[in-house]
Amino acid sequence: MQSASREQLIDRFGRVVDYVRISVTDRCDFRCVYCMEPDTRFVPRAQVLTLEELALVSRAFVELGVQKIRITGGEPLVRRNVVDLMAEISPLPGLRELVVTTNGSQLERLAPGLRAAGVKRINISLDSLDAERFRRITRTGDLDEVLRGIEAARAQGFERLKINSVILRNRNHEEVVPLVEFAASRGMDISFIEEMPLGVIGDHDRAEAYYSSDEIRRDIEAAHQLLPTAEQTGGPSRYFKLIEYGTRVGFISPHSHNFCEDCNRVRVTAEGRLLLCLGQEHSVDLRAILRSHPGDLAMLKQRIRKAMDIKPRGHDFSLKAQPIIFRHMNATGG
Ligand code: SAM
Ligand code: SF4
């Protein structure tokens, strides 16, 4: 419950924004085919928010009523000292959940630190259980390293671990059921994400590779019983339950089921751009404020409050058109 005295961020459409995804770096040790190009150029380090700036931004949002912060990237765990940042954010009064999305490559090393820093839930991306295919999709990733990372996280007893899988036709669509079983047998949840047209990519034609949530559900239901639930975790997933295991199976379906209507989130890019919508360019440059008025929490909060006036009603991703959003997901903060 939100206490009466706490401020809230409310946009023009009456939506309460209580969830922020903060990208702590646009860099990554993988080059997933749907996310970036092999030769992606990263933002010069001086333009990326410092850990102090990131901590101040987090504080501002929490004081404005944000209850959930997701640390993401790029690959958040390749940012040096990111665990210290999380330890600083997690005790902020009013914050209910600090969660992380990671590709898992650094988890074997960092899982204990993340747990100690107060992280409650971790989402780990995993698109294939076949080492060669995993390498093809991530271009540089090592499946074994990620599997060891998952085991290390399990050993820490986080409240919840979830696998995120992007499914592409003729790349990994036949792994839907094995991925569900992998997660279920380890007491983990799983969400399937439809590929979104963020940034131009050369690897594949997104319309051809499109594999809908309905097709994924059909594949799962051929092997297991799925029960629809009304459960919400404050994100865009629709959830089902895998009856034999109690595992939650989520679907993030920007194409087949637009999730804008009850959008409660905003994003901050690694450069400190406050993005009001994943699929639009409406944004506010928080870095400019952070650097012209260092440490000025009141000013920062004022800018964030005002930004709610430009949060768009929603977006409409098209499979056929070229992307209208030229940022790649790593730059956006997934
Ligand atoms: N590097 C971390 C990871 O991979 O989990 C965190 C950042 S990544 C951008 C966050 C999530 O976005 C991942 O689950 C990834 O699979 C997903 N993603 C990246 N590009 C995407 C795209 N074009 N469409 C849909 N999901 C995408
Ligand atoms: Fe890196 Fe995550 Fe993008 Fe893959 S999806 S390239 S792991 S940021």
Side-chain angles (χ1 to χ4, degrees), residues 23 25-43 73-76 78 103 127 136-140 166 168 195-204 206 326-334:
S23 169
T25 179
D26 64 332
R27 290 174 162 71
C28 186
D29 48 346
F30 292 3
R31 298 284 184 278
C32 301
V33 293
Y34 45 73
C35 181
M36 22 169 137
E37 291 296 274
D39 57 351
T40 293
R41 271 214 218 136
F42 298 109
V43 172
E75 174 45 43
V78 301
N103 65 21
D127 302 328
R136 232 178 297 136
I137 293 175
T138 59
R139 292 199 181 97
T140 58
V166 175
L168 305 176
E195 187 184 7
M196 297 175 231
L198 297 173
V200 177
I201 53 162
D203 177 78
H204 56 271
R206 281 179 163 137
F326 293 102
R327 339 170 222 105
H328 287 93
M329 191 62 144
N330 73 301
T332 299

Side-chain angles (χ1 to χ4, degrees), residues 47-180:
Q47 289 176 26
V48 171
L49 295 191
T50 63
L51 293 178
E52 292 71 26
E53 289 167 336
L54 287 163
L56 197 69
V57 167
S58 307
R59 176 177 295 276
F61 274 107
V62 174
E63 289 190 9
L64 289 166
V66 160
Q67 305 196 27
K68 175 171 169 181
I69 293 182
R70 177 175 302 284
I71 301 293
T72 183
E75 174 45 43
L77 302 187
V78 301
R79 172 98 195 234
R80 199 179 310 160
N81 298 330
V82 72
V83 178
D84 298 342
L85 172 69
M86 296 191 214
E88 197 172 338
I89 297 174
S90 73
L92 289 173
L95 184 70
R96 272 199 301 140
E97 271 198 310
L98 176 64
V99 297
V100 176
T101 300
T102 173
N103 65 21
S105 69
Q106 313 297 311
L107 263 185
E108 190 177 18
R109 184 170 57 88
L110 294 180
L114 291 174
R115 182 84 171 96
V119 172
K120 296 230 171 96
R121 299 199 279 125
I122 304 186
N123 288 357
I124 305 159
S125 300
L126 180 69
D127 302 328
S128 175
L129 295 166
D130 174 271
E132 225 175 88
R133 188 180 285 156
F134 184 85
R135 172 59 64 108
R136 232 178 297 136
I137 293 175
T138 59
R139 292 199 181 97
T140 58
D142 173 358
L143 176 65
D144 268 347
E145 187 178 61
V146 173
L147 296 180
R148 288 199 305 274
I150 291 174
E151 287 316 310
R154 286 181 68 215
Q156 289 301 316
F158 286 95
E159 227 169 71
R160 211 153 219 169
L161 296 176
K162 185 170 88 168
I163 299 293
N164 274 347
S165 303
V166 175
I167 299 296
L168 305 176
R169 184 181 306 280
N170 296 331
R171 281 243 164 27
N172 61 344
H173 77 261
E174 63 273 32
E175 291 208 52
V176 166
V177 173
L179 284 165
V180 166

Side-chain angles (χ1 to χ4, degrees), residues 166-223:
V166 175
I167 299 296
L168 305 176
R169 184 181 306 280
N170 296 331
R171 281 243 164 27
N172 61 344
H173 77 261
E174 63 273 32
E175 291 208 52
V176 166
V177 173
L179 284 165
V180 166
E181 290 170 351
F182 173 88
S185 63
R186 286 164 180 75
M188 302 165 77
D189 294 330
I190 184 162
S191 276
F192 291 101
I193 312 173
E194 288 180 352
E195 187 184 7
M196 297 175 231
L198 297 173
V200 177
I201 53 162
D203 177 78
H204 56 271
D205 177 327
R206 281 179 163 137
E208 265 170 40
Y210 177 59
Y211 201 71
S212 72
S213 292
D214 289 345
E215 289 171 285
I216 297 172
R217 223 176 89 198
R218 183 204 58 202
D219 293 349
I220 301 171
E221 284 178 330

Side-chain angles (χ1 to χ4, degrees), residues 57 61 268 272 274 284-290 300 303-304:
V57 167
F61 274 107
V268 178
L274 170 57
V284 169
D285 182 1
L286 297 182
R287 189 185 61 202
I289 300 149
L290 285 161
L300 189 60
R303 286 304 284 130
I304 295 172

